[in-house]
């Protein structure tokens, strides 16, 4: 655990909250101080849920530490059961309460409540949020799933979707459509949308569809071992992966593979004339392992991009990410330090970033367009509309989401490049106003964009190099996605020759030097 301004994952009890919030009829009693109730906002503000997470906090204070905090926990458990009447309780401690060592599991068991009580052992100082989701779902399945006869028709469970998941709601809809087209019934979707009583029926399915290994792999492995249910390994993100997923599921179910591609537009649009100018664009991919690896494959194999960087923040999946990175000829970035990710992106100088909410901010600072592909995300990535990442419609969404930042970035660059032209200057005003500026001083200097401001900042180095105003102006004519690289190359060129001020001539000399 370390102090940081921003983090990709919260502590593991937040992962347990994601499982509880996604389910119905399950309640989480969390031994925690007052400050840990902040986690509610993740669901009510960011995910825009219409109700609070099903979590009861003991909310002990500093003055309680000298008294009996165990009694506070027992009282909170009893009050939660009486008020909410859940089908099952999960109990645990936050990172702060873990230090008190009150043993929430043992305390809850001794209460003799008439519902299952599942104790969670989530080591807050060595593991993180995604471990919390995986371990919580595993403990629920292990405690509640009982042996039962298989369903008469071929059926499967869909495992992995949780509260606060990136497009989980919409992915489940798309994957259910794929299964339905092959005549495969869905037995249980869990954790999201399931009740504890539903988990008792997990063993009735013939196999499991694992959508998000970060959240459901431990449960899938246990069900395979204890209930003889194989689980899928293919994540259906992108056209190729969706076809492979359908083939894998069909083989498990013993049915003929069937995929309706009538609404699939992504392959043709990626190969269409107005998309070919995007071919070869360099992209840096970072996120949770599942989404990052899937996005890298789609970027390279379906969009025609060049992957110049790949990484993930969840170290549990570092091995497969490193293997894929080697296959793509890049070095994997495995870290949960956003500053290290920013340095890796700056060094790679990509033309686009596929990442999390943090990489969106990094892209703004570096002047690089970014499309969000993975949690953690902010409120704008929980849209009201149907916007999956998986299946046929998910492939279409990927095309729109990834290409849009590049197209808009090129448009912005063209406007910047021609800003001095009489038709495009700010003084000219919009065309629908007859070319007259609605207000302000005509002919005044154009306001700087965030990218211009970022580009104009002086970098510290041994020579204390400065840029002449005309050289800065000329630099802004270079496309935004290579402007940072041009700036660094020019400053390196100047530093090697002892040039303290970069002029337009220096800029073009550096360009000629690196072109040779």
């Amino acid at each position: 655990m370390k102090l940081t301004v921003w983090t990709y994952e919260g502590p593991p009890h937040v992962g347990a909250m994601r499982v509880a919030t996604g389910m119905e009829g399950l309640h989480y009693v969390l031994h925690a101080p007052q400050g840990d109730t902040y986690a509610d906002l993740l669901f009510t503000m960011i995910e825009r849920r219409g109700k609070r997470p099903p979590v009861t906090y003991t909310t002990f204070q500093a003055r309680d530490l000298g008294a009996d905090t165990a009694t506070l926990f027992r009282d909170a458990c009893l009050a939660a059961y009486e008020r909410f009447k859940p089908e099952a309780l999960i109990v645990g401690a936050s990172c702060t309460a873990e230090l008190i060592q009150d043993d929430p599991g043992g305390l809850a068991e001794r209460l003799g409540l008439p519902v299952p009580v599942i104790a969670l052992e989530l080591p807050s100082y060595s593991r993180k949020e995604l471990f919390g989701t995986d371990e919580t779902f595993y403990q629920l399945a292990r405690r509640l799933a009982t042996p039962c006869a298989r369903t008469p028709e071929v059926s499967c469970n869909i495992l992995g979707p949780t509260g606060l998941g990136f497009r989980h709601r919409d992915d489940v809809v798309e994957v259910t459509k794929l299964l339905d087209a092959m005549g495969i019934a869905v037995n249980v979707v869990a954790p999201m949308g399931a009740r504890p009583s539903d988990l008792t029926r997990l063993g009735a399915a013939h196999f499991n569809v694992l959508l998000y290994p970060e959240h459901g792999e431990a449960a899938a492995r246990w069900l395979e071992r204890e209930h003889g249910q194989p689980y899928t390994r293919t994540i259906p993100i992108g056209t190729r992966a969706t076809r492979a997923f359908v083939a894998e599921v069909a083989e498990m179910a013993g049915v003929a593979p069937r995929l309706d591609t009538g609404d699939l537009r992504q392959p043709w649009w990626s190969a269409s004339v107005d998309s070919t100018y995007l071919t070869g664009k360099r992209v840096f991919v970072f996120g949770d392992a599942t989404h990052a690896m899937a996005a890298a494959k789609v970027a390279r194999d379906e969009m025609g991009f060049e992957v110049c960087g790949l990484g993930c923040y969840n170290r549990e999946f570092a091995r497969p990410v490193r293997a894929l990175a080697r296959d793509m000829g890049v070095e994997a970035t495995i870290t949960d330090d956003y500053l290290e990710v920013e340095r890796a992106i700056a060094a790679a100088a990509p033309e686009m970033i596929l990442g999390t909410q943090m990489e969106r901010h990094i892209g703004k600072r570096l002047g690089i367009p970014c499309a969000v592909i993975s949690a953690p995300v902010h409120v704008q990535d929980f849209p009201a509309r149907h916007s999956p990442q998986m299946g046929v419609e998910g492939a279409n969404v990927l095309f729109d989401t990834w290409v849009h930042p590049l197209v808009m970035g090129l448009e912005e660059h063209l406007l910047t490049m021609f800003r001095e032209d009489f038709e495009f200057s700010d003084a000219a005003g919009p065309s629908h106003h007859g070319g007259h500026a609605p207000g302000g001083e005509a002919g005044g200097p154009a306001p700087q964009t965030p990218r211009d401001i970022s580009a104009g900042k002086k970098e510290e180095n041994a020579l204390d190099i400065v840029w002449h105003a005309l050289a800065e102006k000329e630099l802004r004519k270079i496309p935004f996605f290579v402007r940072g690289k041009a700036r660094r190359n020019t400053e390196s060129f100047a530093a090697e020759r002892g040039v303290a001020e970069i002029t337009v001539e220096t800029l073009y000399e550096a360009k000629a030097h690196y072109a040779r």
Side-chain angles (χ1 to χ4, degrees), residues 77-78 81-82 89 108-117:
C77 279
L78 292 171
Y81 175 74
E82 289 299 325
L89 277 175
E109 285 286 351
R110 288 193 289 272
L111 292 176
L113 295 174
V115 294
V117 178

Short mmCIF file of all heavy atoms in Angstrom, two decimals, residues 77-78 81-82 89 108-117:
data_model
loop_
_atom_site.label_atom_id
_atom_site.label_comp_id
_atom_site.label_asym_id
_atom_site.label_seq_id
_atom_site.Cartn_x
_atom_site.Cartn_y
_atom_site.Cartn_z
N CYS A 77 -24.30 -6.17 12.34
CA CYS A 77 -24.77 -7.38 11.65
C CYS A 77 -26.24 -7.65 11.95
O CYS A 77 -27.04 -7.92 11.05
CB CYS A 77 -23.93 -8.59 12.08
SG CYS A 77 -22.36 -8.73 11.23
N LEU A 78 -26.58 -7.58 13.22
CA LEU A 78 -27.97 -7.85 13.61
C LEU A 78 -28.91 -6.81 13.00
O LEU A 78 -30.00 -7.15 12.51
CB LEU A 78 -28.09 -7.85 15.14
CG LEU A 78 -27.40 -9.02 15.85
CD1 LEU A 78 -27.39 -8.80 17.37
CD2 LEU A 78 -28.11 -10.33 15.53
N TYR A 81 -29.39 -7.44 9.23
CA TYR A 81 -30.29 -8.55 8.93
C TYR A 81 -31.75 -8.17 9.19
O TYR A 81 -32.63 -8.46 8.37
CB TYR A 81 -29.93 -9.79 9.75
CG TYR A 81 -30.92 -10.90 9.54
CD1 TYR A 81 -30.92 -11.63 8.35
CD2 TYR A 81 -31.91 -11.17 10.49
CE1 TYR A 81 -31.87 -12.61 8.12
CE2 TYR A 81 -32.86 -12.16 10.28
CZ TYR A 81 -32.83 -12.88 9.08
OH TYR A 81 -33.78 -13.84 8.85
N GLU A 82 -32.00 -7.52 10.29
CA GLU A 82 -33.38 -7.15 10.63
C GLU A 82 -33.95 -6.15 9.63
O GLU A 82 -35.14 -6.20 9.30
CB GLU A 82 -33.43 -6.57 12.05
CG GLU A 82 -33.19 -7.58 13.15
CD GLU A 82 -34.24 -8.69 13.14
OE1 GLU A 82 -35.42 -8.39 12.82
OE2 GLU A 82 -33.89 -9.84 13.43
N LEU A 89 -25.41 -13.13 3.87
CA LEU A 89 -24.56 -12.01 4.29
C LEU A 89 -23.11 -12.33 3.96
O LEU A 89 -22.67 -13.48 4.11
CB LEU A 89 -24.68 -11.80 5.81
CG LEU A 89 -25.84 -10.99 6.39
CD1 LEU A 89 -25.77 -11.04 7.91
CD2 LEU A 89 -25.78 -9.55 5.92
N ALA A 108 -19.60 -12.91 13.30
CA ALA A 108 -20.87 -13.09 12.60
C ALA A 108 -21.38 -14.52 12.72
O ALA A 108 -22.59 -14.75 12.86
CB ALA A 108 -20.72 -12.70 11.13
N GLU A 109 -20.48 -15.50 12.65
CA GLU A 109 -20.90 -16.90 12.75
C GLU A 109 -21.56 -17.18 14.10
O GLU A 109 -22.54 -17.93 14.20
CB GLU A 109 -19.70 -17.83 12.56
CG GLU A 109 -19.22 -17.94 11.13
CD GLU A 109 -20.15 -18.78 10.27
OE1 GLU A 109 -21.07 -19.42 10.82
OE2 GLU A 109 -19.96 -18.80 9.04
N ARG A 110 -21.04 -16.57 15.16
CA ARG A 110 -21.55 -16.83 16.51
C ARG A 110 -22.90 -16.18 16.77
O ARG A 110 -23.54 -16.47 17.79
CB ARG A 110 -20.53 -16.37 17.55
CG ARG A 110 -19.30 -17.25 17.62
CD ARG A 110 -18.48 -16.97 18.85
NE ARG A 110 -17.80 -15.68 18.78
CZ ARG A 110 -16.59 -15.49 18.24
NH1 ARG A 110 -15.96 -16.53 17.68
NH2 ARG A 110 -16.04 -14.30 18.24
N LEU A 111 -23.34 -15.32 15.82
CA LEU A 111 -24.64 -14.68 16.00
C LEU A 111 -25.80 -15.64 15.72
O LEU A 111 -26.93 -15.38 16.14
CB LEU A 111 -24.76 -13.46 15.08
CG LEU A 111 -23.85 -12.27 15.42
CD1 LEU A 111 -24.02 -11.18 14.37
CD2 LEU A 111 -24.15 -11.73 16.81
N GLY A 112 -25.54 -16.71 15.00
CA GLY A 112 -26.57 -17.70 14.71
C GLY A 112 -27.68 -17.18 13.82
O GLY A 112 -28.85 -17.54 14.00
N LEU A 113 -27.35 -16.36 12.83
CA LEU A 113 -28.36 -15.83 11.92
C LEU A 113 -28.91 -16.95 11.03
O LEU A 113 -28.18 -17.88 10.66
CB LEU A 113 -27.75 -14.72 11.04
CG LEU A 113 -27.30 -13.46 11.79
CD1 LEU A 113 -26.58 -12.51 10.84
CD2 LEU A 113 -28.48 -12.77 12.44
N PRO A 114 -30.20 -16.86 10.64
CA PRO A 114 -30.82 -17.95 9.86
C PRO A 114 -30.52 -17.91 8.36
O PRO A 114 -31.27 -18.47 7.57
CB PRO A 114 -32.31 -17.71 10.12
CG PRO A 114 -32.44 -16.25 10.32
CD PRO A 114 -31.18 -15.82 11.01
N VAL A 115 -29.46 -17.24 7.96
CA VAL A 115 -29.05 -17.18 6.55
C VAL A 115 -27.56 -17.49 6.47
O VAL A 115 -26.83 -17.33 7.46
CB VAL A 115 -29.34 -15.78 5.93
CG1 VAL A 115 -30.83 -15.52 5.86
CG2 VAL A 115 -28.61 -14.69 6.69
N PRO A 116 -27.08 -17.92 5.32
CA PRO A 116 -25.64 -18.17 5.19
C PRO A 116 -24.84 -16.89 5.44
O PRO A 116 -25.20 -15.81 4.96
CB PRO A 116 -25.49 -18.64 3.74
CG PRO A 116 -26.84 -19.14 3.35
CD PRO A 116 -27.82 -18.30 4.09
N VAL A 117 -23.76 -17.01 6.18
CA VAL A 117 -22.84 -15.90 6.44
C VAL A 117 -21.48 -16.31 5.90
O VAL A 117 -20.89 -17.30 6.35
CB VAL A 117 -22.75 -15.58 7.94
CG1 VAL A 117 -21.74 -14.45 8.17
CG2 VAL A 117 -24.12 -15.18 8.49
#
